[in-house]
Amino acid sequence: MNFVPKPNDIAGIIEADRAHVWHHLSQHKQYETSDPPIMIEGKGLRIWDAKGREYLDAVAGGVWTVNVGYGRESIANAVRDQLVKLNYFAGAAGSEPGARFAQKLIEKMPGLTRVYYSNSGSEANEKVFKMVRQISARHHGGRKSKILFRERDYHGTTIAVLAACGQPQRAEQYGPFPEGFVEVPHCLEYRNQYPDAEDYGLAAANAIEDVILREGPDTVGLLCLEPITAGGGVITPPKGYWERVQEICRKYEVLLHIDEVVCGLGRTGTWFGYQQYGVKPDFVTMAKGVASGYAAISCTVTTEAVFEMFKDNPSDPMSYFRDISTYGGCLAGPAAALENMRIIEDEGLLANTVSMGERLDGNLRALMEKHRVVGDVRGKGLFYGAELVADRTTKEPLAEAKVAAVVAKCREHGVIIGMTNRSLPGLNNTLCLSPGLIATPDDIDTITSAIDRALAEVCG
């Protein structure tokens, strides 16, 4: 496949975009003198821009979303068929694809029983916060309303979820935020904040208990964590961390919320990232990979125990979860999600993610041997980060501008990778990789070869 643009058509698209579109995460001053990036077509892991340039997409749509690759006609057909049959009805009523996908999803999540639909990861996470606040009001006399979140974790873009943002630059200029959100320390062993501890995983988890005790266990209702920190630097939890975290939550009756917006639906080689660590959460949220970007959908999944707290007194008009998501009623989402899940199952993409992840890990560690600027490699499945440093001994982070230059060089060489950026003051120095679950050995080698070349060109 080779996309060939029609010059006249493309020129008009570029000018219309420049004149009218406000791009995400973009400083538009640059587009006064250069063309904005416009993507036109995709197939598999390849994508073509408006100028006909081909790229291998190593970040699944730029934001860890297109898990099963571009150009899946079967998903498009499933969406089309559902929209013709019934495109929408408010989520106060059920639907055929909604019921079927919920059943399929719960089969993959032992211990969880209920699915609440909405349309973005931010919204799914905010649903949890609202549920916890309502549980606090109805069952704890307004106590146990505090929500703990972790340094370097990220949960979305609304004001409420930004109140639970562990990445200061993402939240900067958007305050004041709602009260009752409290940060706990990160668990990145490479930047060990407990050098005297014999067991880093235990020390990092116990730091959460310290915060609970400081705040008062009777005031803390929820702990919200990513299974693997994503945009904060692809941080895999240290050994023993999750086991201790779960013990702490049970000890103090703190509900555990796992944000799987990035890791969910196969990214780490299991259906969900938390399943790598034997955790039994009370809430799980997901979005991006649920339908691989073919339709908007997110899910807030809970235990039956949580669900029962909203139906214990039917005579109380304030007892049910009084929430709505307009586009949680659009049936394109669950229709696409059903076909997305079928593809993952039928094509053995979980197993492929494990094997290709092992290849990616090996290739990145070979780059670490070759380039001293690579200070640390971490990840699981097809979700990896390489932290770049100016000095391995001191672990001084490589300047964000240089990391961005590496990303730009990779793009010049036909590979799109990601990085932490404008998130963590002084620590935006991690290259981020999350190719689609359909990646082949050649794809993995192409990605790491581009990084190898870019590191040599930028860092010597």
Side-chain angles (χ1 to χ4, degrees):
M1 181 178 182
N2 186 18
F3 169 71
V4 180
K6 297 179 180 179
N8 293 338
D9 293 345
I10 293 303
I13 291 169
I14 291 172
E15 288 312 306
D17 183 280
R18 193 198 314 274
H20 303 297
V21 177
W22 193 338
H23 289 268
H24 300 185
L25 299 172
S26 299
Q27 171 51 260
H28 276 251
K29 189 70 177 175
Q30 64 186 310
Y31 301 138
E32 294 179 2
T33 56
S34 64
D35 291 342
I38 296 177
M39 297 304 179
I40 299 294
E41 195 165 348
K43 188 70 175 178
L45 295 189
R46 267 67 184 177
I47 193 162
W48 288 263
D49 69 12
K51 297 180 179 179
R53 291 175 296 200
E54 178 182 332
Y55 303 93
L56 193 164
D57 177 7
V59 280
V63 286
W64 307 320
T65 299
V66 189
N67 282 8
V68 300
Y70 298 100
R72 291 284 189 168
E73 290 188 20
S74 66
I75 302 181
N77 289 337
V79 170
R80 184 262 178 205
D81 292 346
Q82 180 58 51
L83 294 184
V84 171
K85 184 176 182 180
L86 180 65
N87 63 308
Y88 177 90
F89 199 85
S95 71
E96 179 184 357
R100 289 177 57 219
F101 181 64
Q103 183 178 34
K104 288 278 289 183
L105 184 61
I106 291 302
E107 288 173 0
K108 313 296 185 191
M109 306 178 76
L112 296 157
T113 63
R114 298 285 174 167
V115 179
Y116 190 96
Y117 288 116
S118 51
N119 73 316
S120 72
S122 300
E123 195 177 356
N125 287 329
E126 189 152 336
K127 303 306 181 193
V128 175
F129 297 169
K130 290 179 71 175
M131 289 175 184
V132 169
R133 290 289 170 85
Q134 194 171 342
I135 290 169
S136 169
R138 296 196 63 253
H139 296 280
H140 302 291
R143 308 280 291 177
K144 290 190 84 67
S145 63
K146 290 179 182 176
I147 292 165
L148 306 187
F149 64 95
R150 186 170 56 194
E151 183 184 10
R152 297 186 70 135
D153 279 11
Y154 175 72
H155 304 292
T157 63
T158 66
I159 294 297
V161 291
L162 281 176
C165 182
Q167 299 175 14
Q169 287 179 311
R170 284 186 181 265
E172 190 175 325
Q173 301 180 8
Y174 297 122
F177 296 107
E179 296 180 353
F181 293 85
V182 182
E183 188 174 75
V184 302
H186 70 75
C187 66
L188 175 54
E189 192 163 10
Y190 182 68
R191 298 201 172 274
N192 186 346
Q193 64 273 58
Y194 316 110
D196 297 328
E198 293 184 7
D199 186 325
Y200 179 79
L202 187 63
N206 284 340
I208 296 174
E209 183 176 33
D210 292 342
V211 173
I212 293 173
L213 291 172
R214 184 193 73 206
E215 296 294 322
D218 62 333
T219 72
V220 178
L222 182 77
L223 174 63
C224 175
L225 303 175
E226 293 182 272
I228 296 172
T229 298
V234 191
I235 301 169
T236 49
K239 183 179 179 181
Y241 178 81
W242 270 115
E243 293 87 345
R244 179 60 181 144
V245 166
Q246 183 152 281
E247 285 179 4
I248 291 166
C249 287
R250 298 297 178 254
K251 179 179 179 180
Y252 298 108
E253 297 182 339
V254 173
L255 295 169
L256 180 57
H257 167 198
I258 309 298
D259 176 351
E260 292 271 356
V261 169
V262 173
C263 291
L265 275 294
R267 173 57 52 195
T268 68
T270 49
W271 284 107
F272 296 93
Y274 75 87
Q275 293 168 343
Q276 299 277 357
Y277 308 106
V279 184
K280 296 180 179 179
D282 301 289
F283 299 93
V284 176
T285 50
M286 63 196 76
K288 299 178 185 294
V290 175
S292 287
Y294 285 84
I297 181 174
S298 65
C299 303
T300 301
V301 184
T302 75
T303 63
E304 197 69 8
V306 168
F307 179 73
E308 288 290 331
M309 284 191 272
F310 292 88
K311 55 178 267 195
D312 62 313
N313 185 4
S315 64
D316 179 358
M318 303 295 281
S319 65
Y320 65 95
F321 185 46
R322 301 181 317 283
D323 179 273
I324 185 171
S325 169
T326 298
Y327 277 90
C330 180
L331 305 185
L338 276 164
E339 180 60 14
N340 183 71
M341 183 175 279
R342 184 202 65 77
I343 289 169
I344 293 172
E345 291 180 316
D346 289 358
E347 296 185 10
L349 296 186
L350 295 184
N352 188 66
T353 297
V354 172
S355 61
M356 291 303 99
E358 290 171 355
R359 189 180 190 95
L360 180 58
D361 182 89
N363 286 8
L364 290 173
R365 293 191 186 282
L367 292 183
M368 190 175 177
E369 290 293 320
K370 183 176 180 180
H371 300 277
R372 288 193 58 79
V373 71
V374 181
D376 192 33
V377 168
R378 48 190 183 255
K380 192 170 286 290
L382 284 172
F383 186 33
Y384 263 81
E387 182 164 350
L388 305 186
V389 294
D391 186 293
R392 274 195 186 175
T393 303
T394 65
K395 300 182 182 178
E396 176 191 349
L398 191 67
E400 184 171 350
K402 277 204 165 185
V403 182
V406 172
V407 173
K409 282 293 183 183
C410 284
R411 195 180 185 99
E412 286 180 19
H413 302 318
V415 174
I416 300 173
I417 68 170
M419 64 172 283
T420 51
N421 64 93
R422 297 183 296 280
S423 300
L424 303 157
L427 287 167
N428 294 310
N429 63 316
T430 301
L431 303 179
C432 301
L433 302 171
S434 58
L437 313 188
I438 61 171
T440 66
D442 284 347
D443 293 330
I444 300 300
D445 293 348
T446 298
I447 293 165
T448 51
S449 292
I451 296 171
D452 183 14
R453 186 175 171 186
L455 289 172
E457 290 171 335
V458 174
C459 304

